Amino acid sequence: MHRLLLLGCLWLLAVLPASSIFQRPTGTPAPPRLQYLLEPLHPTVHTQRGATATLPCVLRALPRNYRVKWSKVEPANYRENIIIITNGLYHKNYGPLSPRVRLRHSHRYDASLTITDVALEDEGRYRCQLVNGLEDESVSLTLHLEGVVFPYQPSNGRYKFNYHEAKRACEQQDSRLATYQQLYKAWTEGLDWCNAGWILDGTVHYPIINSREPCGGRLLLPGVRTYGARDKQKDRFDAFCFTSALQGQVYFIRGHLNFKEAGQACRNHGAAIAKVGQLYSAWKFSQLDRCDGGWLADGSVRYPITTPRERCGGLPDPGVRSFGFPSKEMRTYGTYCFVGK
């Protein structure tokens, strides 16, 4: 009986058109077609920190008494923050993005948003909404920054940050808390880290390439493992920070310097001692490759390797190596300096 029923179902799949099998359930409305806005050809715009980026929003026709409203969706609080509103003739800017945004307005149908001097916090999802009475419609676009994710913990050890402290720590190191998409991309590119860390939306994760006993066991599959949303005040973890291209240069000063002398050596050259995010950025975007440990602004000692070799840590993959947080009185290391453009 069951076999006959299965054969009957297979016969129906074979003879009926796909449209009649996979129809939308009765009563479910079809998504409204865009009447005035053009669907963007590329919904993701790729850029880097410091660049100028344009998010396309073009009208196919101009309705009467319309407005176009641009807003940004913030993942940390799930709110939409208004950026700019225009009626085609006049416009008004809102919020912290106000000094750096304008409408491209290359023709009368163009309501595209241009962001100058792109910052780390500009990455995310944007919405262009046509407000026209009962016929409102919108398109969503994503601004994606090319960058690098790095795990970060303070000098007093692992799992010391609540969410707000993790957010502040990343910002102090010329970075910001990574998004889940940034952390996932970093995992696909080889990030393997056994300590769990906060990300921007208040959830906690850790990326594993090589399953092993101290990191959940050998039986768990590789992936970005999650602890889910945690208490932002009480729970304590590390942080996953994200940084992008630099508007400046990181360079190394050789010497046997303690931490105080390292900072002074940079200032003597008209520079500042580099932050952790700046060193990662120079490694990622400028291919900075040095086998010398150097002081950084947080009191850690690190060095960037783009061409792995036996005498530079012996690890097979490129990366920023760390000596941790040695005594600031040690005169063993040089220093990495940063000078802005």
Side-chain angles (χ1 to χ4, degrees):
M1 181 67 181
H2 292 294
R3 188 176 179 184
L4 288 174
L5 184 60
L6 176 61
L7 289 172
C9 291
L10 291 173
W11 179 83
L12 283 171
L13 287 171
V15 300
L16 290 177
S19 59
S20 65
I21 300 172
F22 300 107
Q23 286 182 338
R24 186 179 290 104
T26 305
T28 302
R33 292 188 60 189
L34 294 175
Q35 181 179 355
Y36 294 106
L37 295 177
L38 290 172
E39 194 73 44
L41 188 61
H42 301 290
T44 300
V45 175
H46 296 265
T47 188
Q48 292 181 353
R49 177 167 55 176
T52 295
T54 297
L55 299 167
C57 184
V58 178
L59 285 69
R60 70 174 87 231
L62 300 177
R64 288 186 178 182
N65 303 320
Y66 77 96
R67 289 179 298 151
V68 170
K69 179 176 73 174
W70 275 99
S71 56
K72 184 174 188 285
V73 181
E74 298 296 345
N77 52 25
Y78 305 102
R79 292 170 54 185
E80 284 198 18
N81 294 330
I82 297 174
I83 300 170
I84 195 168
I85 296 178
T86 180
N87 64 359
L89 295 175
Y90 307 100
H91 70 272
K92 184 173 181 180
N93 294 15
Y94 297 85
L97 267 173
S98 181
R100 297 189 290 112
V101 295
R102 58 180 172 81
L103 294 169
R104 182 173 64 180
H105 209 64
S106 58
H107 52 78
R108 62 196 295 248
Y109 299 100
D110 185 14
S112 301
L113 182 74
T114 295
I115 305 174
T116 60
D117 193 19
V118 170
L120 294 176
E121 59 269 22
D122 296 342
E123 173 154 303
R125 190 159 64 89
Y126 291 76
R127 191 158 77 113
C128 176
Q129 181 181 15
L130 177 76
V131 181
N132 182 37
L134 298 176
E135 299 180 347
D136 293 359
E137 55 189 69
S138 65
V139 294
S140 292
L141 300 109
T142 299
L143 185 67
H144 172 77
L145 270 68
E146 300 295 339
V148 56
V149 171
F150 60 94
Y152 188 75
Q153 57 184 219
S155 59
N156 57 342
R158 69 197 288 262
Y159 293 178
K160 301 296 183 182
F161 294 135
N162 67 24
Y163 172 82
H164 306 288
E165 292 164 344
K167 184 173 182 290
R168 187 162 55 249
C170 288
E171 291 166 355
Q172 289 171 347
Q173 296 308 315
D174 192 52
S175 58
R176 70 179 302 216
L177 280 175
T179 65
Y180 181 82
Q181 290 76 13
Q182 290 165 345
L183 181 62
Y184 185 87
K185 183 174 185 291
W187 169 72
T188 66
E189 294 171 350
L191 181 59
D192 183 285
W193 196 253
C194 204
N195 294 344
W198 294 101
I199 64 171
L200 186 60
D201 64 2
T203 57
V204 175
H205 309 266
Y206 65 103
I208 293 296
I209 298 289
N210 301 306
S211 299
R212 50 203 187 272
E213 286 304 328
C215 305
R218 298 179 183 276
L219 298 180
L220 284 179
L221 293 175
V224 178
R225 297 174 184 167
T226 179
Y227 287 5
R230 309 300 295 216
D231 189 307
K232 291 183 178 181
Q233 292 288 353
K234 297 179 181 178
D235 289 328
R236 294 187 174 271
F237 298 94
D238 291 344
F240 286 105
C241 305
F242 171 83
T243 192
S244 186
L246 282 176
Q247 299 301 293
Q249 179 188 6
V250 172
Y251 62 92
F252 181 74
I253 294 179
R254 190 183 299 276
H256 298 282
L257 310 169
N258 64 30
F259 178 71
K260 185 176 180 180
E261 292 166 343
Q264 187 60 52
C266 292
R267 289 191 291 274
N268 291 344
H269 285 75
I273 189 168
K275 299 177 179 180
V276 177
Q278 291 167 340
L279 185 65
Y280 269 94
S281 180
W283 166 74
K284 173 76 172 181
F285 292 99
S286 302
Q287 287 72 56
L288 184 63
D289 184 292
R290 291 218 53 120
C291 208
D292 307 279
W295 291 103
L296 296 176
D298 66 341
S300 65
V301 172
R302 307 174 195 247
Y303 62 101
I305 294 295
T306 56
T307 304
R309 46 211 186 268
E310 191 63 34
R311 297 183 63 184
C312 296
L315 296 176
D317 300 316
V320 174
R321 318 279 196 241
S322 174
F323 287 119
F325 295 84
S327 167
K328 291 184 176 180
E329 301 305 316
M330 286 184 64
R331 285 189 168 93
T332 307
Y333 307 105
T335 184
Y336 287 96
C337 304
F338 171 75
V339 60
K341 288 183 178 178

